[in-house]
């Protein structure tokens, strides 16, 4: 049974940093490419950042470029999102999602992701 669990969210002041983690079990982690999504109240879910199975391809939403960094440790079945210079508009529930490598779909196409975590809340106070 596949389990995906996010952690690391919390309350932080604007300008601060947080590091999110996502651990997956019940799957061969390096068979999967990963995306962080987020959803704020009243807004649509959006893709934040993507990393390929080997970690050699990464993408970011324009809104987080230069501030967020995605990485993975396949030996630990863990995905990370380092978030710096946080802004109030980064406040959202953050989810990690997994899909098998080789998809031809956009990296932020949520419908193509098979496994999702429950999310971790990030709140940035201004």
């Amino acid at each position: 049974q596949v389990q995906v669990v996010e952690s690391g969210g919390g309350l932080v002041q604007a300008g601060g940093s947080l590091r999110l983690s996502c651990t997956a079990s019940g799957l061969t982690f390096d068979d999967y490419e990963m995306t962080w999504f987020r959803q704020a109240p009243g807004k649509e879910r959006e893709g934040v950042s993507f990393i390929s199975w080997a970690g050699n391809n990464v993408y970011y939403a324009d809104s987080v470029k230069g501030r967020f960094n995605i990485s993975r440790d396949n030996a630990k079945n863990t995905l990370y999102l380092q978030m710096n210079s946080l802004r109030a508009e980064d406040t959202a529930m953050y989810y990690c999602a997994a899909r098998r490598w080789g998809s031809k779909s956009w990296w932020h196409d949520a419908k193509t992701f098979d496994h999702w975590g429950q999310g971790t809340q990030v709140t940035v106070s201004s």
Side-chain angles (χ1 to χ4, degrees):
Q1 182 177 350
V2 176
Q3 278 196 312
V4 178
V5 180
E6 303 94 337
S7 62
L11 173 64
V12 64
Q13 287 190 330
S17 298
L18 281 175
R19 189 195 198 200
L20 305 185
S21 298
C22 168
T23 301
S25 59
L27 52 72
T28 303
F29 190 65
D30 55 10
D31 280 348
Y32 286 80
E33 47 197 34
M34 306 291 293
T35 288
W36 284 99
F37 291 88
R38 67 185 180 187
Q39 188 165 21
K43 294 192 176 180
E44 291 189 357
R45 182 171 46 192
E46 62 172 343
V48 175
S49 184
F50 164 94
I51 189 166
S52 59
W53 70 271
N56 54 337
N57 287 314
V58 297
Y59 303 117
Y60 297 94
D62 288 343
S63 58
V64 306
K65 274 181 189 173
R67 300 187 298 122
F68 288 12
N69 185 68
I70 192 170
S71 61
R72 66 190 294 162
D73 185 338
N74 287 346
K76 294 182 178 179
N77 283 19
T78 302
L79 171 74
Y80 303 99
L81 186 68
Q82 177 66 43
M83 306 188 295
N84 301 321
S85 302
L86 282 161
R87 305 168 181 167
E89 53 264 38
D90 295 317
T91 295
M93 185 72 80
Y94 283 70
Y95 302 89
C96 72
R99 70 183 183 193
R100 282 193 174 272
W101 69 272
S103 173
K104 299 294 190 287
S105 301
W106 290 107
W107 65 268
H108 47 76
D109 186 350
K111 299 188 302 296
T112 63
F113 285 80
D114 307 304
H115 306 293
W116 291 78
Q118 299 278 49
T120 186
Q121 177 67 39
V122 171
T123 303
V124 184
S125 63
S126 55

